[in-house]
Amino acid sequence: GIQVEQSPPDLILQEGANSTLRCNFSDSVNNLQWFHQNPWGQLINLFYIPSGTKQNGRLSATTVATERYSLLYISSSQTTDSGVYFCAGGLTSGSRLTFGEGTQLTVNP
Amino acid sequence: ETGVTQTPRHLVMGMTNKKSLKCEQHLGHNAMYWYKQSAKKPLELMFVYSLEERVENNSVPSRFSPECPNSSHLFLHLHTLQPEDSALYLCASSKGFYNSPLHFGNGTRLTVT
């Protein structure tokens, strides 16, 4: 299976700051998703982004499949953005998703 | 009403007990999944069902037994668990089999004593 590496493992921000989270894959993926897990354990799907760029409010994501990475941008961070951000990738559409170990984000007021 | 509902939210059970976790999705999806999340570990896939048929069993011990009676419901039957099975168990669903966004439930926090 593929290897997924997320960076940084931990990130502490002041409210209002911007940040970039990165996900590297050992192989080209054809199915890439970003998730946010809040402090209560709920996992929310942020983006389904096999390639290209998508934006949703203050969040945006870019995947460059041929370069084997994806980036998640958080602008004007808020305390409610705190939690763990996971990326997950699959080699082909229909193959198992492999999750990274996550980036623990803390946004302080 | 949330798209994927899991019950119970918390469960404490002894090693000799038998219990079941329940998952229900209201999204009209065709694929359902069980994941295990242990502390300091990435999410681990346990089972996958597509159109009510098990399509993947990721080398899970037989003390975990899944059941998918229809495309909206998924169960995980537990018996003679070990303390190391304590974890957050997450159910997810997707429209297609691994080719569309995964939607997770709130999870069941399981403690085995």
Side-chain angles (χ1 to χ4, degrees):
Chain A
I2 63 170
Q3 307 298 314
V4 181
E5 183 179 335
Q6 289 190 243
S7 60
D10 297 279
L11 184 60
I12 300 175
L13 301 174
Q14 286 301 121
E15 203 166 23
N18 303 326
S19 62
T20 300
L21 282 57
R22 186 178 180 102
C23 190
N24 288 331
F25 298 92
S26 59
D27 205 339
S28 295
V29 295
N30 196 20
N31 177 357
L32 193 148
Q33 305 189 34
W34 282 96
F35 301 87
H36 173 226
Q37 188 169 37
N38 66 24
W40 298 271
Q42 172 72 49
L43 265 165
I44 302 295
N45 192 302
L46 298 176
F47 294 102
Y48 174 78
I49 184 167
S51 63
T53 297
K54 288 187 177 180
Q55 180 152 9
N56 184 2
R58 296 181 295 104
L59 303 181
S60 64
T62 294
T63 295
V64 184
T66 53
E67 298 291 324
R68 307 176 189 176
Y69 73 89
S70 183
L71 302 174
L72 179 69
Y73 305 95
I74 305 175
S75 65
S76 305
S77 58
Q78 301 176 359
T79 56
T80 51
D81 295 331
S82 295
V84 184
Y85 289 81
F86 293 100
C87 64
L91 282 177
T92 61
S93 174
S95 63
R96 178 194 304 186
L97 283 180
T98 300
F99 280 77
E101 295 191 3
T103 292
Q104 174 77 56
L105 174 66
T106 303
V107 181
N108 293 320
Chain B
E1 186 174 2
T2 58
V4 182
T5 304
Q6 288 186 245
T7 55
R9 292 295 307 276
H10 301 272
L11 179 62
V12 179
M13 60 186 289
M15 292 166 57
T16 58
N17 290 158
K18 288 185 180 182
K19 296 286 183 183
S20 295
L21 309 184
K22 179 183 176 182
C23 176
E24 183 175 0
Q25 59 97 0
H26 309 275
L27 300 169
H29 288 169
N30 293 318
M32 297 187 77
Y33 313 76
W34 279 116
Y35 281 89
K36 176 183 178 182
Q37 187 178 31
S38 305
K40 308 295 183 184
K41 283 187 171 183
L43 271 74
E44 301 172 57
L45 177 66
M46 299 178 73
F47 302 103
V48 184
Y49 278 81
S50 179
L51 295 172
E52 302 150 42
E53 287 196 25
R54 191 190 311 180
V55 296
E56 192 156 352
N57 176 348
N58 194 24
S59 302
V60 179
S62 59
R63 57 186 184 270
F64 295 91
S65 175
E67 179 190 0
C68 187
N70 55 62
S71 59
S72 298
H73 294 86
L74 186 64
F75 295 89
L76 187 62
H77 304 299
L78 317 171
H79 63 97
T80 59
L81 294 190
Q82 306 297 310
E84 59 264 29
D85 296 322
S86 299
L88 180 67
Y89 289 83
L90 291 156
C91 173
S93 70
S94 62
K95 189 172 184 179
F97 173 50
Y98 272 141
N99 60 5
S100 51
L102 275 184
H103 295 266
F104 283 89
N106 286 327
T108 294
R109 177 73 62 186
L110 173 67
T111 303
V112 181
T113 61

